[in-house]
Amino acid sequence: MTAQLMIFLILAAIAVAGAVSVILQREPIHSAISLIAVMIALAGLFLLLESEFIAAIQIIVYAGAIMVLFVFVIMLLNARVEERTNMSRMARYVGIPLAIFLLIELAYQIGAATLSMTPQPATEGMTRGLSMLLFQDFVFPFELTSILILIAILGALVLAQRNEGVPPKRGQEKST
Amino acid sequence: MTGITAQSILLVSVIKVVVLLFLVLTAVAYLVWFERKVAAHIQGRWGPYRVGPHGLLQPLADGVKFLLKEDTTPLGADRFLYFTAPVITLTLAISAIAMIPFGPASVRIFGVATPLVVANINVGLLAIFAMTSIGVYGVALAGWSSNSKYSLLGGLRSSAQMISYELSLTLSVVGILLLAGTFNLGELIARQDGFSWGFLPKWNLLNPTFPQVLGLFCYFVAAIAETNRAPFDLAEAESELVAGYHTEYSSFKFAMFFMGEYASMITVACLASILFLGGWLSPFPQTSGMDWTLYIPAGVLALSGFALIIDGVRHPPLGRIVLPLLGAALLALSFLCSRTGVIDDVQGPFWFLAKVLFVLFVYVWVRWTLPRFRYDQLMRFGWKVLFPLALLNVVLTSLAVVMRK
Amino acid sequence: MPISYYLALSATLFGLGVIGFIFKRNIITIFMSIELMLNAVNLAFIAFARALGQLQGQVFVFFVIVVAAAEAAVGLAIVIVIARNRQSLNVERINLLKL
């Protein structure tokens, strides 16, 4: 039981427990906190896989900005426990076991199929190699994502603003 | 390298962590004393003076007060989040100090030579920013879980302010990264070694390629806003919104928020001195004519020792014994620092602490000099002034770097 | 440390995301299950990047994170508009095109 395996098991346990908690919690804010715990555990797993930069980006961007957005929206909308609507009997007695079976089947098949893959060391330093790829081979998607973010900002602004009175049309068009 | 096992390395790490924790918690307590004294002298009064000589036992008295107060939980508060929010704030603020290198030398503990840093991560700078990012949750969740309108509004405003200025904070540091090409904090300091024209230190503030003055300004302003300090403390100031997100907190949980704020102040000051002011590098060139500068730490300690002894005899009985004893201890330390074995090792930490103390002094000075920003002025400043300035810094620095090649 | 452990974990997290997506009723929780699925896929990409010794997997994770940010921003804006118009976050109540 090497140290790496032990750390992997601890982080994996936190991730799975967090994911189960996201599903099972009743208040949305607790689901959000569980999801943040999952993301931090995943950042730890990225560190184990020797991608320090992506681990830092995961925490700074995903857990530190996107989830803050989720938490803000939950607070603004005052989202609380939903009222209980009972699931149909089909969903409860057939759906849930099938879903759990899907999960176990996915995990087993993917795990078994890749059992032969062994990790290989990277050819050059991680951050430097990543930036080389990003700015040479993938520069077009990189620039496109910046436009995508601009569109998302504008879209979010337009969608979420309140229309407090539309100004009246300025006179009618005169027909000649 | 006999005798160096995984166990001994682990033991050395644990010792470093315990020492750092002790030092940081003491520093946070005495930073409060320092701030109250400086604030008082700016306002023309004495500050804490009675509790122990020169008010030096004031932090102890405050700590005891916090521990003994009644610990209430508001009705309808979310128990788990109410307990966790101050824990998140304090833990992350203290953990960020683990990445900070205090000096270049290696110290030998139990035969293992370790550098003067708890965790020398390759992406150390990003790790500190990651901890600052998660620290936003402490504020937001504290506001939400207190089940009170003032807390919710204050929490939302504080966390919106923190994420807005976090952007300018990380962007103002990109100029340094362009000049140095590494995230490692020890490496960043090593790149600032050397003196241009023989006497001007090559710190990033005075960088020969492009002096990072704009970067330091943006960083410092963003850091003040990030730690919710005046003049950006509308969301938690005493005369506004009751007390913002920590209205409903009492006793030790409030103390944790308080300590978390001062600990993040220390982190930001340490980072400013590493990134812009040269970290543990001395401002004097190490030529043969400047050998006397090696005795500056010993000199400072000796001066303060004498000052304490001379001042101590004027105090009532407790001060009459404690202060001269402290002065004598400082004199002994200064004698130790002038011995040949220790003198080289002491230079790094001394200059680092001097710079951090200077940055903290400016922090406190700004707080008690400038009036507070209104919230909309604050957000407008953060997005429309500071963020473009930080971007401008990045553009100009990259132009300078490319033109130099 | 065989890579298949990481991939099995990734598949588990993905499956849990699917379960959350199908069985929960609150829109925001459904959205969070989608983010959980995206995170599971990120883990799979990084694991494969390590297994093959290349860095393209990490570049893709970078893009997935950026796209997830844009999607979260617009999606949550839509959620705010829906909540404002129908005063409920329950998907079972948002089943008519007419208000």
Side-chain angles (χ1 to χ4, degrees):
Chain A
M1 177 78 84
T2 60
Q4 214 183 19
L5 189 61
M6 216 155 45
I7 299 178
F8 171 79
L9 283 176
I10 295 176
L11 288 172
I14 297 176
V16 171
V20 168
S21 169
V22 167
I23 305 175
L24 292 181
Q25 290 284 354
R26 288 168 49 207
E27 293 224 11
I29 191 88
H30 293 160
S31 300
I33 305 295
S34 317
L35 191 57
I36 297 170
V38 170
M39 288 178 184
I40 297 183
L42 279 182
L45 284 170
F46 291 170
L47 273 177
L48 264 186
L49 285 167
E50 294 178 17
S51 351
E52 316 129 348
F53 187 70
I54 299 287
I57 293 294
Q58 163 99 348
I59 295 189
I60 296 179
V61 173
Y62 226 138
I66 300 180
M67 289 311 296
V68 168
L69 188 58
F70 270 96
V71 166
F72 270 22
V73 168
I74 294 177
M75 288 186 190
L76 279 171
L77 297 178
N78 200 18
R80 291 291 191 170
V81 187
E82 290 294 320
E83 76 264 9
R84 293 216 40 99
T85 61
N86 291 321
M87 283 193 263
S88 66
R89 262 181 281 164
M90 178 70 101
R92 191 182 312 175
Y93 296 122
V94 179
I96 295 187
L98 266 181
I100 299 183
F101 177 69
L102 165 74
L103 192 153
I104 300 179
E105 181 74 16
L106 259 181
Y108 175 71
Q109 289 298 338
I110 292 185
T114 57
L115 212 47
S116 56
M117 291 178 120
T118 50
Q120 284 160 27
T123 43
E124 55 181 325
M126 222 224 71
T127 311
R128 178 169 296 268
L130 194 60
S131 55
M132 287 292 186
L133 270 180
L134 208 53
F135 287 104
Q136 288 173 353
D137 298 336
F138 291 94
V139 67
F140 184 58
F142 184 70
E143 300 297 333
L144 270 185
T145 50
S146 63
I147 302 183
L148 176 73
I149 295 178
L150 181 65
I151 298 175
I153 293 175
L154 289 173
L157 272 174
V158 164
L159 277 173
Q161 67 178 195
R162 288 179 189 270
N163 289 323
E164 273 154 3
V166 182
K169 282 202 173 68
R170 293 189 172 267
Q172 302 296 326
E173 246 189 348
K174 289 210 170 82
S175 53
T176 53
Chain B
M1 298 261 273
T2 56
I4 298 188
T5 58
Q7 269 83 357
S8 64
I9 296 182
L10 191 63
L11 182 64
V12 162
S13 298
V14 169
I15 291 179
K16 280 202 287 195
V17 165
V18 168
V19 167
L20 187 69
L21 197 61
F22 175 70
L23 281 176
V24 165
L25 290 175
T26 315
V28 162
Y30 279 94
L31 186 60
V32 181
W33 174 86
F34 177 70
E35 163 156 19
R36 289 174 73 170
K37 276 294 204 190
V38 171
H41 283 279
I42 289 180
Q43 294 173 344
R45 54 187 174 89
W46 281 106
Y49 200 68
R50 300 213 170 270
V51 186
H54 283 295
L56 281 170
L57 288 181
Q58 183 74 38
L60 189 64
D62 281 337
V64 170
K65 175 193 82 169
F66 278 132
L67 281 173
L68 295 181
K69 266 195 175 176
E70 179 194 357
D71 192 39
T72 61
T73 308
L75 191 66
D78 192 332
R79 286 277 168 80
F80 176 67
L81 292 178
Y82 188 76
F83 279 0
T84 323
V87 171
I88 295 178
T89 311
L90 185 60
T91 314
L92 289 169
I94 297 186
S95 311
I97 303 191
M99 255 65 79
I100 302 207
F102 289 98
S106 300
V107 186
R108 297 196 73 85
I109 313 179
F110 292 133
V112 180
T114 75
L116 281 171
V117 54
V118 174
N120 195 13
I121 308 184
N122 243 345
V123 285
L125 193 58
L126 277 185
I128 297 186
F129 284 137
M131 306 223 175
T132 319
S133 297
I134 309 266
V136 176
Y137 287 113
V139 171
L141 295 175
W144 166 261
S145 62
S146 301
N147 197 27
S148 144
K149 291 194 238 316
Y150 292 126
S151 301
L152 184 62
L153 278 179
L156 278 177
R157 281 184 174 182
S158 278
S159 36
Q161 169 189 330
M162 282 169 91
I163 59 176
S164 311
Y165 281 89
E166 189 185 311
L167 207 59
S168 308
L169 190 74
T170 40
L171 210 53
S172 60
V173 165
V174 172
I176 308 265
L177 293 176
L178 282 169
L179 291 170
T182 169
F183 283 115
N184 192 341
L185 288 172
E187 278 284 310
L188 276 172
I189 300 180
R191 301 279 168 113
Q192 299 178 58
D193 210 349
F195 293 86
S196 21
W197 306 311
F199 70 95
L200 201 65
K202 270 195 196 159
W203 297 345
N204 275 327
L205 183 62
L206 309 160
N207 196 301
T209 310
F210 187 75
Q212 295 287 315
V213 182
L214 191 57
L216 177 58
F217 171 72
C218 290
Y219 176 84
F220 197 64
V221 172
I224 298 183
E226 180 76 16
T227 46
N228 276 331
R229 296 265 304 174
F232 297 104
D233 66 345
L234 190 86
E236 65 159 29
E238 285 89 27
S239 49
E240 320 274 348
L241 264 189
V242 189
Y245 62 91
H246 49 68
T247 310
E248 300 286 342
Y249 282 88
S250 63
S251 149
F252 201 64
K253 298 198 200 79
F254 176 74
M256 281 162 89
F257 275 119
F258 206 53
M259 286 199 286
E261 175 179 323
Y262 283 93
S264 52
M265 239 172 89
I266 294 182
T267 307
V268 159
C270 287
L271 207 54
S273 64
I274 288 178
L275 294 174
F276 294 96
L277 296 177
W280 35 253
L281 293 170
S282 158
F284 301 106
Q286 298 298 313
T287 55
S288 54
M290 304 286 262
D291 255 346
W292 57 272
T293 60
L294 288 177
Y295 290 95
I296 294 186
V300 165
L301 282 173
L303 269 176
S304 33
F306 276 125
L308 275 177
I309 293 181
I310 295 177
D311 185 64
V313 294
R314 295 190 290 124
H315 277 264
L318 179 64
R320 207 171 295 167
I321 305 179
V322 167
L323 283 187
L325 271 181
L326 268 179
L330 282 179
L331 278 178
L333 260 182
S334 101
F335 183 65
L336 185 65
C337 289
S338 48
R339 305 266 86 212
T340 42
V342 186
I343 192 166
D344 293 310
D345 286 342
V346 139
Q347 295 297 310
F350 173 75
W351 287 115
F352 183 68
L353 287 174
K355 289 172 198 171
V356 169
L357 212 59
F358 173 69
V359 175
L360 285 172
F361 175 72
V362 176
Y363 231 119
V364 175
W365 188 12
V366 162
R367 173 177 182 178
W368 294 100
T369 312
L370 296 177
R372 203 167 277 142
F373 274 79
R374 210 175 56 219
Y375 190 68
D376 60 321
Q377 292 170 338
L378 194 157
M379 295 301 262
R380 183 177 309 138
F381 181 71
W383 286 105
K384 291 192 186 174
V385 174
L386 206 59
F387 184 55
L389 275 180
L391 271 179
L392 184 69
N393 183 34
V394 171
V395 168
L396 289 177
T397 309
S398 42
L399 266 177
V401 166
V402 164
M403 285 205 297
R404 192 155 227 247
K405 288 230 170 119
Chain C
M1 188 68 241
I3 293 295
S4 62
Y5 288 10
Y6 291 98
L7 293 170
L9 175 65
S10 161
T12 313
L13 289 175
F14 189 83
L16 285 170
V18 168
I19 294 179
F21 180 73
I22 295 183
F23 286 108
K24 296 293 280 188
R25 289 178 304 277
N26 193 333
I27 301 185
I28 303 185
T29 316
I30 295 179
F31 214 135
M32 287 196 277
S33 309
I34 299 179
E35 298 291 332
L36 184 58
M37 285 194 259
L38 284 172
N39 270 298
V41 163
N42 279 348
L43 180 63
F45 270 120
I46 300 266
F48 277 126
R50 178 88 167 89
L52 299 173
Q54 297 171 341
L55 289 174
Q56 271 86 351
Q58 298 184 5
V59 172
F60 210 85
V61 168
F62 188 83
F63 286 129
V64 168
I65 293 181
V66 167
V67 170
E71 161 210 351
V74 176
L76 286 171
I78 296 180
V79 165
I80 292 181
V81 173
I82 290 179
R84 210 182 278 157
N85 285 335
R86 302 195 193 239
Q87 278 87 36
S88 165
L89 285 172
N90 197 342
V91 278
E92 292 172 1
R93 292 199 193 281
I94 313 173
N95 54 358
L96 294 175
L97 277 178
K98 187 178 151 79
L99 261 171

